[in-house]
Coordinates of all heavy atoms in Angstrom, one line a residue:
V1 N -1.7 -1.1 7.0 CA -2.8 0.0 6.7 C -4.0 -0.7 6.0 O -3.7 -1.7 5.2 CB -2.2 1.1 5.8 CG1 -1.2 1.9 6.6 CG2 -1.7 0.6 4.6
S2 N -5.1 -0.4 6.4 CA -6.3 -1.0 5.8 C -6.7 -0.4 4.5 O -6.5 0.8 4.3 CB -7.5 -1.0 6.8 OG -7.8 0.4 7.2
M3 N -7.3 -1.2 3.7 CA -7.8 -0.6 2.4 C -9.1 -1.3 1.9 O -9.2 -2.5 1.9 CB -6.7 -0.9 1.3 CG -7.2 -0.4 -0.1 SD -5.9 -0.7 -1.3 CE -6.9 -0.3 -2.9
F4 N -10.1 -0.5 1.8 CA -11.4 -0.9 1.2 C -11.3 -1.0 -0.3 O -10.6 -0.2 -0.9 CB -12.5 -0.1 1.7 CG -12.9 -0.2 3.1 CD1 -12.5 0.8 4.0 CD2 -13.5 -1.3 3.5 CE1 -12.9 0.7 5.3 CE2 -13.8 -1.4 4.9 CZ -13.5 -0.4 5.8
E5 N -12.0 -1.9 -0.9 CA -12.0 -2.1 -2.3 C -12.5 -0.8 -3.0 O -13.5 -0.3 -2.7 CB -12.8 -3.3 -2.7 CG -12.6 -3.7 -4.1 CD -13.3 -5.1 -4.4 OE1 -13.7 -5.8 -3.4 OE2 -13.5 -5.4 -5.6
G6 N -11.7 -0.3 -3.9 CA -12.0 0.9 -4.6 C -11.7 2.2 -4.0 O -12.1 3.3 -4.4
E7 N -11.0 2.2 -2.8 CA -10.7 3.4 -2.1 C -9.2 3.4 -1.9 O -8.4 2.5 -2.1 CB -11.4 3.4 -0.7 CG -12.9 3.4 -0.8 CD -13.6 3.6 0.6 OE1 -12.8 3.8 1.6 OE2 -14.8 3.4 0.7
K8 N -8.7 4.6 -1.4 CA -7.3 4.8 -1.2 C -7.0 4.4 0.3 O -7.9 4.3 1.1 CB -6.9 6.3 -1.3 CG -7.1 6.7 -2.8 CD -5.9 6.3 -3.7 CE -6.0 6.9 -5.0 NZ -4.8 6.5 -5.8
T9 N -5.7 4.3 0.7 CA -5.4 4.0 2.0 C -4.9 5.4 2.7 O -4.9 6.4 2.0 CB -4.2 3.1 2.2 OG1 -3.0 3.7 1.8 CG2 -4.4 1.9 1.2
S10 N -4.6 5.3 4.0 CA -4.1 6.5 4.7 C -2.6 6.7 4.5 O -2.0 7.6 5.0 CB -4.4 6.4 6.2 OG -3.7 5.2 6.7
S11 N -1.9 5.8 3.7 CA -0.5 5.9 3.4 C -0.3 6.4 2.0 O -0.7 5.7 1.1 CB 0.1 4.6 3.7 OG 1.5 4.5 3.2
E12 N 0.4 7.5 1.9 CA 0.7 8.0 0.5 C 1.6 7.1 -0.2 O 1.5 6.9 -1.4 CB 1.3 9.4 0.6 CG 0.3 10.5 1.0 CD -0.9 10.6 0.0 OE1 -0.7 10.4 -1.2 OE2 -2.1 10.7 0.5
L13 N 2.6 6.5 0.6 CA 3.5 5.6 -0.1 C 2.8 4.4 -0.6 O 3.0 3.9 -1.7 CB 4.5 5.1 1.1 CG 5.8 4.5 0.6 CD1 6.7 5.4 -0.2 CD2 6.5 3.9 1.8
A14 N 1.8 3.8 0.2 CA 1.0 2.7 -0.3 C 0.2 3.1 -1.5 O 0.1 2.3 -2.5 CB 0.2 2.2 0.8
N15 N -0.4 4.3 -1.5 CA -1.2 4.7 -2.6 C -0.4 4.9 -3.9 O -0.9 4.5 -5.0 CB -1.9 6.0 -2.3 CG -2.9 5.9 -1.1 OD1 -3.4 4.8 -0.9 ND2 -3.2 7.1 -0.5
T16 N 0.7 5.4 -3.8 CA 1.6 5.6 -4.9 C 2.1 4.3 -5.6 O 1.9 4.1 -6.8 CB 2.9 6.4 -4.6 OG1 2.4 7.7 -4.0 CG2 3.7 6.7 -5.8
Y17 N 2.6 3.4 -4.8 CA 3.2 2.2 -5.3 C 2.2 1.0 -5.5 O 2.2 0.4 -6.6 CB 4.4 1.7 -4.4 CG 5.6 2.7 -4.5 CD1 5.8 3.7 -3.6 CD2 6.5 2.5 -5.5 CE1 6.8 4.5 -3.6 CE2 7.7 3.4 -5.6 CZ 7.8 4.4 -4.6 OH 8.8 5.3 -4.7
A18 N 1.4 0.7 -4.5 CA 0.6 -0.4 -4.6 C -0.6 -0.2 -5.5 O -1.0 -1.0 -6.3 CB 0.1 -0.8 -3.2
I19 N -1.3 1.0 -5.3 CA -2.5 1.3 -6.0 C -2.2 1.8 -7.4 O -2.7 1.3 -8.4 CB -3.5 2.2 -5.2 CG1 -3.8 1.5 -3.8 CG2 -4.7 2.5 -5.9 CD1 -4.6 2.4 -2.9
D20 N -1.6 2.9 -7.4 CA -1.4 3.7 -8.7 C -0.4 2.9 -9.7 O -0.7 2.9 -10.9 CB -0.7 5.1 -8.4 CG -1.7 6.0 -7.6 OD1 -2.9 5.6 -7.6 OD2 -1.2 6.9 -7.0
Q21 N 0.6 2.3 -9.1 CA 1.5 1.6 -10.0 C 1.2 0.2 -10.3 O 1.3 -0.3 -11.4 CB 3.0 1.8 -9.5 CG 3.5 3.2 -9.5 CD 5.0 3.3 -9.2 OE1 5.7 2.3 -9.2 NE2 5.4 4.5 -8.9
D22 N 0.9 -0.6 -9.2 CA 0.7 -2.0 -9.3 C -0.8 -2.4 -9.3 O -1.1 -3.6 -9.3 CB 1.4 -2.8 -8.2 CG 2.9 -2.8 -8.4 OD1 3.3 -2.4 -9.5 OD2 3.6 -3.2 -7.4
N23 N -1.7 -1.4 -9.2 CA -3.1 -1.7 -9.4 C -3.7 -2.7 -8.3 O -4.6 -3.5 -8.6 CB -3.4 -2.2 -10.8 CG -4.9 -2.0 -11.2 OD1 -5.6 -1.1 -10.7 ND2 -5.4 -2.9 -12.0
F24 N -3.2 -2.5 -7.1 CA -3.7 -3.3 -6.0 C -5.1 -2.9 -5.7 O -5.5 -1.8 -5.5 CB -2.8 -3.2 -4.8 CG -3.2 -4.0 -3.6 CD1 -3.1 -5.4 -3.5 CD2 -3.9 -3.4 -2.5 CE1 -3.4 -6.1 -2.5 CE2 -4.3 -4.1 -1.4 CZ -4.1 -5.5 -1.3
K25 N -6.1 -3.9 -5.6 CA -7.5 -3.6 -5.5 C -8.0 -3.5 -4.2 O -9.1 -2.9 -3.9 CB -8.3 -4.7 -6.4 CG -7.9 -4.7 -7.8 CD -8.3 -3.5 -8.5 CE -8.1 -3.6 -10.0 NZ -8.5 -2.4 -10.8
G26 N -7.4 -4.2 -3.2 CA -7.9 -4.2 -1.8 C -9.0 -5.2 -1.6 O -9.8 -5.0 -0.7
K27 N -9.1 -6.2 -2.4 CA -10.1 -7.3 -2.2 C -9.9 -7.9 -0.8 O -8.8 -8.0 -0.3 CB -10.1 -8.3 -3.3 CG -10.5 -7.7 -4.7 CD -10.6 -8.7 -5.7 CE -11.1 -8.2 -7.1 NZ -11.0 -9.2 -8.1
F28 N -11.0 -8.5 -0.3 CA -10.9 -9.0 1.1 C -9.8 -10.1 1.2 O -9.8 -11.1 0.5 CB -12.3 -9.5 1.5 CG -12.2 -10.1 3.0 CD1 -12.2 -9.2 4.0 CD2 -12.1 -11.5 3.2 CE1 -12.2 -9.7 5.3 CE2 -12.0 -11.9 4.5 CZ -12.0 -11.1 5.5
G29 N -9.0 -9.9 2.2 CA -7.9 -10.9 2.5 C -6.7 -10.7 1.7 O -5.7 -11.4 2.0
E30 N -6.6 -9.9 0.7 CA -5.4 -9.7 -0.1 C -4.5 -8.8 0.7 O -4.9 -7.9 1.4 CB -5.7 -9.0 -1.5 CG -6.5 -9.9 -2.4 CD -6.7 -9.2 -3.8 OE1 -6.5 -8.0 -3.9 OE2 -7.0 -10.0 -4.8
T31 N -3.2 -9.0 0.4 CA -2.2 -8.2 1.1 C -1.1 -7.8 0.0 O -0.9 -8.4 -1.0 CB -1.5 -8.9 2.2 OG1 -0.9 -10.1 1.7 CG2 -2.4 -9.3 3.3
Y32 N -0.5 -6.7 0.4 CA 0.6 -6.1 -0.5 C 1.7 -5.6 0.5 O 1.4 -4.7 1.3 CB 0.0 -5.0 -1.4 CG 1.0 -4.4 -2.4 CD1 1.0 -4.8 -3.7 CD2 2.1 -3.5 -2.0 CE1 1.9 -4.2 -4.7 CE2 2.9 -3.0 -2.9 CZ 2.9 -3.4 -4.2 OH 3.8 -2.9 -5.1
L33 N 2.9 -6.1 0.3 CA 4.0 -5.7 1.2 C 4.9 -4.8 0.4 O 5.4 -5.0 -0.7 CB 4.8 -7.0 1.7 CG 5.8 -6.8 2.8 CD1 5.1 -6.3 4.1 CD2 6.6 -8.0 2.9
L34 N 5.2 -3.7 1.1 CA 5.9 -2.6 0.5 C 7.1 -2.2 1.3 O 6.9 -1.7 2.5 CB 5.0 -1.4 0.2 CG 5.6 -0.1 -0.4 CD1 6.1 -0.4 -1.9 CD2 4.6 1.0 -0.4
P35 N 8.4 -2.4 0.9 CA 9.5 -1.8 1.7 C 9.5 -0.2 1.7 O 9.1 0.4 0.7 CB 10.7 -2.3 1.0 CG 10.2 -3.4 0.1 CD 8.8 -3.0 -0.3
T36 N 10.0 0.3 2.8 CA 10.0 1.8 2.9 C 11.3 2.4 2.6 O 11.5 3.6 2.5 CB 9.5 2.3 4.2 OG1 10.4 1.8 5.3 CG2 8.1 1.8 4.6
Y37 N 12.4 1.5 2.6 CA 13.7 1.9 2.2 C 14.2 3.1 3.1 O 14.9 4.0 2.6 CB 13.9 2.3 0.8 CG 13.5 1.2 -0.1 CD1 12.4 1.2 -0.9 CD2 14.3 0.0 -0.2 CE1 12.0 0.1 -1.8 CE2 14.0 -1.1 -1.0 CZ 12.8 -1.0 -1.8 OH 12.5 -2.0 -2.6
G38 N 13.9 3.1 4.4 CA 14.3 4.1 5.3 C 13.6 5.4 5.2 O 14.0 6.3 5.9
K39 N 12.6 5.5 4.4 CA 11.9 6.8 4.3 C 10.8 7.0 5.4 O 10.3 8.1 5.5 CB 11.2 6.8 2.9 CG 12.1 6.8 1.8 CD 11.4 6.9 0.4 CE 12.3 6.9 -0.7 NZ 11.6 6.9 -2.1
E40 N 10.5 5.9 6.1 CA 9.5 6.0 7.2 C 10.1 5.4 8.5 O 11.2 4.8 8.4 CB 8.2 5.3 6.9 CG 7.6 5.8 5.5 CD 6.9 7.1 5.7 OE1 6.8 7.6 6.8 OE2 6.4 7.6 4.7
I41 N 9.4 5.5 9.6 CA 9.9 5.0 10.9 C 9.6 3.5 11.0 O 10.0 2.8 12.0 CB 9.4 5.7 12.1 CG1 7.9 5.7 12.1 CG2 9.9 7.2 12.1 CD1 7.2 6.3 13.4
Y42 N 8.9 2.9 10.0 CA 8.6 1.5 10.0 C 9.3 0.9 8.7 O 9.4 1.6 7.7 CB 7.1 1.2 10.0 CG 6.3 2.3 9.4 CD1 6.1 2.5 8.0 CD2 5.7 3.3 10.3 CE1 5.3 3.6 7.6 CE2 5.0 4.4 9.8 CZ 4.8 4.5 8.4 OH 4.1 5.5 8.0
R43 N 9.8 -0.3 8.9 CA 10.6 -0.9 7.7 C 9.8 -1.2 6.6 O 10.2 -1.1 5.4 CB 11.4 -2.1 8.3 CG 12.5 -1.8 9.2 CD 13.3 -3.1 9.4 NE 12.6 -4.2 10.0 CZ 12.4 -5.3 9.3 NH1 12.8 -5.4 8.0 NH2 11.8 -6.4 9.8
K44 N 8.5 -1.7 6.8 CA 7.7 -2.1 5.7 C 6.2 -1.6 6.0 O 5.8 -1.4 7.1 CB 7.7 -3.6 5.5 CG 9.0 -4.2 5.0 CD 9.0 -5.7 4.9 CE 10.2 -6.3 4.2 NZ 11.4 -6.1 5.0
V45 N 5.5 -1.5 4.9 CA 4.1 -1.2 5.0 C 3.3 -2.4 4.4 O 3.7 -2.9 3.3 CB 3.7 0.1 4.2 CG1 2.2 0.2 4.2 CG2 4.3 1.3 4.8

């Protein structure tokens, strides 16, 4: 999922864990890997 600096993503899971909890900024080229633990149809975001 893409993320612009200072904005939210289209994934609520990513917004909750990466942005709200870990303060991921979305600077160009940065990445954040998040396991879904079976809550989604994809293994990781």
Side-chain angles (χ1 to χ4, degrees):
V1 295
S2 60
M3 177 181 169
F4 288 106
E5 194 171 345
E7 297 185 10
K8 296 283 189 177
T9 76
S10 61
S11 168
E12 288 302 321
L13 196 66
N15 294 338
T16 299
Y17 289 96
I19 300 174
D20 296 341
Q21 293 188 15
D22 287 349
N23 200 30
F24 181 73
K25 299 295 186 182
K27 292 183 178 179
F28 181 78
E30 289 185 344
T31 58
Y32 184 103
L33 190 64
L34 178 68
T36 63
Y37 301 110
K39 295 180 181 180
E40 303 286 354
I41 59 174
Y42 24 85
R43 291 194 300 112
K44 292 180 173 66
V45 174

